[in-house]
């Protein structure tokens, strides 16, 4: 029995069909943005996306044997800096089949589908105390957002000034203090994406993070139909927050070539 041949996927519509609309694959493709390339081999799909969420990612889907053959071929085209990205079980199986490919670790891809709660999700909302507000922030707020992240979430991969960030949302107290923030970043046409969700330590536990997240999510659901984020499993407080907002967990993982193969 002959092995299926590899061919390049050249349109977002074709990628959607051959991936069965998989959210990880479509998000990585970023609407087939400039620099993104995709391939299929039988039922296997691979998308090479440069610097999406701070990594050169090779998003994969399909049967492990076919994906392994496709990945071996694609890495020879795009180079060793690309990291496999997909369901943990698939990445683990492919790493066992491709020489010098090492499993780097797993975390959560969390996703929410459906209509927004608000009829017009871009309108400003109220903060948890009913006296402040939640709204999109202008460019002049980049400094205060950066200051809040420095205190509340210094390890955030999403920062003000990054080209991938389209806008920041903020939740304010009744006195006008910026209590929590959330970024709209790396959105794909069919999958919105949020990051940098953080509340100032002074205002934690009062619902500000949930308010700003729900505000951003409602807007992105209205625009994209589904919203995703990534989170470490060890961050139980964040996982609980996202689950309470309706997000569902999916375990994903990364794998990359060892130094010997990459050299």
């Amino acid at each position: 029995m002959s092995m299926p041949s590899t061919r390049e996927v050249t349109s977002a519509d074709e990628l959607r069909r051959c991936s069965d609309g998989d959210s990880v694959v479509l998000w990585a493709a970023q609407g087939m943005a400039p620099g993104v390339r995709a391939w299929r081999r039988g039922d296997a799909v691979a998308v090479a996306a440069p610097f999406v969420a701070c990594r050169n990612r090779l998003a994969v889907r399909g049967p492990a044997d076919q994906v392994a053959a496709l990945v071996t071929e694609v890495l020879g085209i795009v180079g060793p800096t690309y990291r496999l990205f997909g369901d943990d079980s698939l990445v683990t199986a492919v790493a066992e089949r491709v020489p010098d490919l090492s499993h780097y670790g797993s975390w959560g891809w969390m996703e929410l589908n459906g209509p927004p709660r608000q009829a017009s999700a871009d309108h400003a909302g109220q903060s948890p105390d009913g006296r402040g507000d939640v709204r999109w922030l202008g460019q002049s707020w980049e400094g205060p957002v950066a200051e809040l992240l420095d205190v509340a979430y210094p390890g955030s991969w999403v920062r003000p000034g990054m080209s991938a960030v389209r806008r920041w949302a903020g939740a304010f107290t009744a006195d006008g203090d910026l209590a929590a923030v959330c970024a709209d970043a790396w959105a794909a046409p069919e999958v919105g994406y949020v990051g940098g969700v953080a509340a100032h330590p002074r205002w934690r536990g009062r619902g500000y993070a949930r308010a700003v997240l729900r505000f951003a999510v409602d807007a992105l659901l209205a625009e994209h139909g589904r919203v995703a984020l990534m989170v470490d499993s060890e961050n139980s407080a964040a996982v609980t927050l996202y689950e309470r907002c309706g997000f569902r967990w999916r375990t994903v993982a990364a794998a990359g070539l060892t130094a010997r193969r990459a050299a």
Side-chain angles (χ1 to χ4, degrees), residues 68-161:
L70 179 59
V71 163
T72 300
E73 187 172 351
V74 168
L75 285 175
I77 298 171
V78 301
T81 64
Y82 281 79
R83 295 184 174 193
L84 229 66
F85 174 51
D87 286 329
D88 183 41
S89 57
L90 174 60
V91 170
T92 299
V94 172
E96 292 171 349
R97 289 164 168 78
V98 177
D100 300 320
L101 194 64
S102 299
H103 189 286
Y104 284 162
S106 60
W107 62 94
W109 170 273
M110 299 188 74
E111 185 175 331
L112 177 61
N113 300 276
R117 298 176 309 158
Q118 300 166 204
S120 182
D122 282 319
H123 287 175
Q126 283 190 329
S127 64
D129 60 14
R131 294 179 294 163
D133 66 345
V134 185
R135 64 179 187 268
W136 293 113
L137 306 176
Q139 191 173 2
S140 63
W141 281 95
E142 287 191 353
V145 170
E147 292 173 4
L148 187 150
L149 290 174
D150 288 341
V151 174
Y153 189 8
S156 174
W157 283 16
V158 188
R159 303 288 301 188

Side-chain angles (χ1 to χ4, degrees), residues 166-253:
R166 184 166 60 164
R167 52 190 173 174
W168 287 89
F172 293 84
T173 69
D175 294 328
D177 293 330
L178 181 61
V181 296
C182 176
D184 166 9
W186 292 297
E190 294 173 307
V191 187
Y193 188 85
V194 293
V197 182
H200 194 285
R202 184 187 311 142
W203 303 109
R204 282 178 183 160
R206 304 191 188 187
Y208 287 102
R210 183 173 184 176
V212 75
L213 176 64
R214 281 290 358 176
F215 172 79
V217 165
D218 283 341
L220 293 178
L221 283 175
E223 184 174 349
H224 304 280
R226 51 184 162 175
V227 182
L229 55 83
M230 288 191 279
V231 61
D232 290 332
S233 58
E234 295 84 2
N235 192 347
S236 58
V239 172
T240 298
L241 168 64
Y242 302 147
E243 288 177 339
R244 287 176 177 171
C245 288
F247 284 84
R248 293 187 177 183
W249 179 277
R250 173 179 174 181
T251 304
V252 294

